[in-house]
């Protein structure tokens, strides 16, 4: 088991009185000085700001521990990123001795080389658009096509479906079409071509112009639970977490421009990509952060 | 704070996003401005609380709040933690001495203290993250109240407790079942920890009577958590070992029976395959019984889920319930590998087009429907 359950992660080394506060209080202020406005950079190229800060703190605390006689602290722990950084802001707490703050120092060394997560997000949905290049009579299409539904009072487009690839298309009278439900870019293109062929067979001079992937959605499972309350405090600029409205945390990554829905169960949904590489890149960016908020009970 | 909320409302009201909205939305907008101002001043208040005061739809409040944040480019602090909200929440319960009979009475400070410990425990064991705050607060306050005088209070249900405390009917939002579920989950966790108390000697702890042990459990919470997790890990490892051993035994026994069958087959001449081969699979002509047995072994092995495929949560005692109660979804195949430029057969396209007769029938049917 990767999670270390031998000691509770926090508060480590401090007797927790009844009714002790959990992190989430203003005591534990957000640590990440993301004043640059950039999202965590991919760790492949260089140490992220996060890791740089961790390294600096480690160095500082090693100096402190040497002064105090080399106190090692709770070894074998994997203190959480949020937690370790929180300590530096809470040394003024009553009862907090320098010893106990050292005990809470980051013990897991920052890896010298970045590790890939080993998890590949699966593409779940591709949304694409194409211009059929001619005006369409939606009533005729709805009448003559088996796989079409049209209710102009509800929605001003024909909804058409095909079996392979299993997709749905919205066909508008302007000749523009939206194709959804494909699991890959190639499937989306093939499906859009099939819809265009159906419209052609119905007697319209349909073309296949300006096919474009508009959105890609991927999902994966990091296989550990995530402390969303800690994540939203640490990454306030990018995160929105309203459990009364939605159970997941909405993380708006800037580079790449992807929105991630992060759930306590460890499931992650990534959306907003135009190419699949953006999904993979976004996940590789977020994975080390999520590992920092992985907490064994 | 009041002036802050008013000025925020004035800004929002005159914003293009909110000028031409319905009166109901404008009322909700006022509530959202109050919520945003409270958060900026670290005043712990739940969205549900404001919602219940406005008697508005929770969904509408959520939509308006998000529109407000976006339109005015607000940077609201994150939602207040449960422990912050607890004190003001507890004061909403009319349980002070003098308000209710002594057997039910509890000072707010004691109630807050015990409830805060339970909230902390609930947060530690993943009962809080990603969930509405009020039901879990209600569950913690209820269990805390019971545990302060368990003998007299254990028999009272959550509904009775709400009546005693004179809580408003919509105290926890639309769904009445949610606080009950949270109570069950919290009691389940307390039972798991209670079992580890040395004086329980590993005996079962019932959810209905766990209130008597809450004080001891909270006192030794950290060590009980560790103990419970260690015991669970040992149990799981034991199960895995036993499963591996039983699989090995199955393989050995089927190999032995196969060899015995082969030997007796050689001695006694041709024997009907059905007598010697496991019923799962009959050997085809030219196929040895060893191969058939190997196939059936594979079937036996495949029927028990291999260790690698078991859910990762199996090894953790405490998990978010949504991670523990995973519904096994049907694996959707990613679809055939295509290039996007394949030839499209006419027959396939024609299968999507109605014949002339179908069109006639459809038109007639539509006429009849409109006439009726």
């Amino acid at each position: 088991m990767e999670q270390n359950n031998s000691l509770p992660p926090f508060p480590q080394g401090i007797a927790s009185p009844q009714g002790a506060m959990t992190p989430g209080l203003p005591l534990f202020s957000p640590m990440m000085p993301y004043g640059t406005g950039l999202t965590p950079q991919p760790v492949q190229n260089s140490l992220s700001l996060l890791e740089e800060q961790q390294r600096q703190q480690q160095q500082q605390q090693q100096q402190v521990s040497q002064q105090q006689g080399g106190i090692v602290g709770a070894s074998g722990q994997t203190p959480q990123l949020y937690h370790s950084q929180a300590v530096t802001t809470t040394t003024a707490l009553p009862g907090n001795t320098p010893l106990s703050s050292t005990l809470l120092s980051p013990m897991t060394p920052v890896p010298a080389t970045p590790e890939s997560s080993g998890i590949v997000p699966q593409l779940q949905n591709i949304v694409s658009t194409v211009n059929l290049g001619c005006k369409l009579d939606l009533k005729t299409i709805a009448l003559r096509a088996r796989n079409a539904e049209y209710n102009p009072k509800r929605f001003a487009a024909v909804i058409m479906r095909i079996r392979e690839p299993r997709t749905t298309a919205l066909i508008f009278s302007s000749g523009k079409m939206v194709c959804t439900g494909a699991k890959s870019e190639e499937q989306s293109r093939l499906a859009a071509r099939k819809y265009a062929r159906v419209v052609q067979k119905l007697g319209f001079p349909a073309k296949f112009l300006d096919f474009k992937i508009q959105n890609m959605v991927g999902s994966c499972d990091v296989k550990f639970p995530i402390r969303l309350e800690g994540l939203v405090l640490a990454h306030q600029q990018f995160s929105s977490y309203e459990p009364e409205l939605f159970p997941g945390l909405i993380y708006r990554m800037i580079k790449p421009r992807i929105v991630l829905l992060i759930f306590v169960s460890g499931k992650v949904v990534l959306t907003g990509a135009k190419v699949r590489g953006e999904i993979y890149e976004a996940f590789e960016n977020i994975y080390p952060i999520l590992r920092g908020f992985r907490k064994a009970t | 704070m009041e002036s802050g909320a008013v000025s925020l409302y004035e800004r929002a009201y005159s914003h293009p996003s909110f000028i031409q909205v319905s009166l109901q939305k404008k009322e909700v907008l006022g509530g959202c401005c109050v919520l945003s101002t409270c958060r900026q001043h670290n005043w712990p208040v739940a969205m549900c609380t404001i919602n219940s005061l406005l008697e508005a739809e929770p969904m509408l409040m959520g939509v308006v709040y998000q529109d407000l944040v976006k339109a005015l480019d607000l940077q609201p602090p994150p939602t207040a933690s449960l422990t912050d909200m607890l004190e003001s929440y507890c004061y909403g319960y009319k349980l002070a001495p003098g308000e209710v009979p002594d057997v039910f009475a509890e000072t707010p400070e004691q109630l807050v203290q015990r409830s805060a410990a339970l909230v902390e425990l609930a947060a530690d064991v993943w009962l809080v993250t990603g969930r509405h705050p009020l039901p879990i607060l209600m569950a913690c306050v209820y269990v805390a109240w019971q545990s302060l005088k368990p003998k007299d209070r254990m028999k009272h249900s959550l509904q009775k407790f709400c009546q005693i405390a004179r809580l408003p009917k919509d105290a926890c939002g639309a769904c009445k079942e949610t606080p009950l579920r949270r109570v069950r989950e919290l009691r389940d966790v307390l039972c798991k920890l209670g079992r580890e108390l040395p004086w329980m000697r590993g005996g079962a702890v019932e959810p209905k009577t766990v209130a008597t042990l809450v004080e001891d459990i909270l006192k030794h919470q950290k060590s009980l958590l560790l103990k419970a997790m260690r015991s669970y890990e040992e149990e799981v490892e034991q199960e895995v070992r036993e499963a591996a051993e039983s699989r090995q035994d199955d393989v050995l026994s089927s190999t032995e029976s196969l060899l015995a069958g082969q030997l007796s087959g050689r001695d006694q001449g041709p024997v009907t395959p059905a007598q010697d081969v496991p019923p799962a699979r009959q050997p085809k002509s030219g196929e040895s019984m060893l191969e058939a047995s190997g196939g059936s072994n594979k079937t036996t092995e495949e029927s028990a889920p291999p260790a690698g495929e078991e859910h990762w949560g199996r090894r953790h005692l405490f998990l978010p319930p949504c991670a523990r109660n995973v519904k096994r979804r049907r694996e959707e195949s990613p679809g055939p590998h295509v290039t996007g430029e394949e030839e499209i057969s006419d027959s396939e396209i024609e299968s999507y087009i109605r014949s002339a007769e179908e069109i006639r029938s459809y038109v007639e049917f539509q006429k009849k429907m409109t006439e009726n």
Side-chain angles (χ1 to χ4, degrees), chain A residues 187-200:
Chain A
Q187 285 182 22
S188 191
R189 187 180 180 88
L190 178 61
R193 285 176 57 226
K194 287 187 179 180
Y195 288 115
R197 185 68 68 83
V198 169
V199 170
Q200 267 180 355

Side-chain angles (χ1 to χ4, degrees), chain A residues 5-296:
Chain A
N5 290 331
S6 56
L7 277 178
F10 65 86
Q12 296 171 17
I14 299 175
S16 159
Q18 286 282 333
M21 304 300 191
T22 52
L25 281 183
L27 289 178
F28 297 97
S29 55
M31 304 67 76
M32 287 311 302
Y34 275 113
T36 56
L38 292 178
T39 52
Q41 293 303 304
V43 293
Q44 290 89 353
N45 298 327
S46 61
L47 282 181
S48 68
L49 186 62
L50 211 60
E51 286 168 340
E52 191 60 39
Q53 285 185 337
Q54 260 188 313
R55 211 165 47 80
Q56 282 170 6
Q57 278 170 12
Q58 264 186 317
Q59 284 168 357
Q60 280 169 10
Q61 275 149 0
Q62 272 168 14
Q63 283 168 7
V64 167
S65 65
Q66 276 165 10
Q67 285 167 12
Q68 290 170 355
I71 295 155
V72 176
S75 62
Q77 296 304 305
T78 310
Q80 305 312 309
L81 176 66
Y82 158 72
H83 195 56
S84 62
Q85 293 212 8
V87 168
T88 61
T89 62
T90 57
T91 48
L93 279 178
N96 250 9
T97 61
L99 171 63
S100 44
S101 65
T102 311
L103 284 174
L104 296 169
S105 64
M107 300 306 295
T108 307
V110 175
T113 54
E115 286 175 20
S116 169
S117 63
I119 302 170
V120 180
Q122 295 300 307
L123 290 180
Q124 301 293 346
N125 186 25
I126 313 278
V127 179
S128 59
T129 54
V130 70
N131 184 1
L132 300 179
C134 63
K135 297 287 177 208
L136 303 173
D137 181 0
L138 298 185
K139 283 185 182 166
T140 306
I141 294 174
L143 178 65
R144 297 186 55 200
R146 279 191 186 132
N147 53 335
E149 52 182 278
Y150 178 49
N151 188 348
K153 288 179 189 172
R154 215 165 122 215
F155 190 57
V158 163
I159 301 168
M160 194 180 282
R161 293 182 172 87
I162 58 172
R163 287 177 290 270
E164 193 59 52
R166 199 157 161 270
T167 51
T168 304
L170 306 175
I171 304 173
F172 294 86
S173 56
S174 59
K176 301 270 173 70
M177 185 174 78
V178 180
C179 175
T180 67
K183 300 280 188 204
S184 72
E185 303 91 315
E186 296 82 15
Q187 285 182 22
S188 191
R189 187 180 180 88
L190 178 61
R193 285 176 57 226
K194 287 187 179 180
Y195 288 115
R197 185 68 68 83
V198 169
V199 170
Q200 267 180 355
K201 285 275 182 184
L202 293 174
F204 296 93
K207 303 185 198 67
F208 195 77
L209 308 172
D210 306 326
F211 174 81
K212 188 181 174 195
I213 303 280
Q214 299 290 354
N215 187 28
M216 301 175 79
V217 182
S219 69
C220 57
D221 187 355
V222 298
K223 295 189 179 0
F224 53 79
I226 301 165
R227 284 288 171 196
L228 302 180
E229 302 92 343
L231 181 55
V232 74
L233 276 180
H235 295 254
Q236 219 171 332
Q237 282 174 295
F238 310 108
S239 311
S240 163
Y241 172 55
E242 297 284 347
E244 294 184 77
L245 297 179
F246 186 65
L249 184 146
I250 302 169
Y251 193 105
R252 294 179 191 277
M253 196 175 280
I254 292 176
K255 196 174 176 300
R257 200 162 194 89
I258 298 287
V259 174
L260 298 92
L261 306 179
I262 302 168
F263 297 91
V264 65
S265 58
K267 299 245 182 352
V268 180
V269 175
L270 306 99
T271 184
K274 290 274 194 280
V275 294
R276 65 165 72 201
E278 286 177 349
I279 298 237
Y280 299 152
E281 189 187 343
F283 182 70
E284 290 303 319
N285 284 350
I286 203 74
Y287 186 72
I289 295 167
L290 297 182
R291 282 191 68 97
F293 293 94
R294 161 190 191 170
K295 176 177 175 267

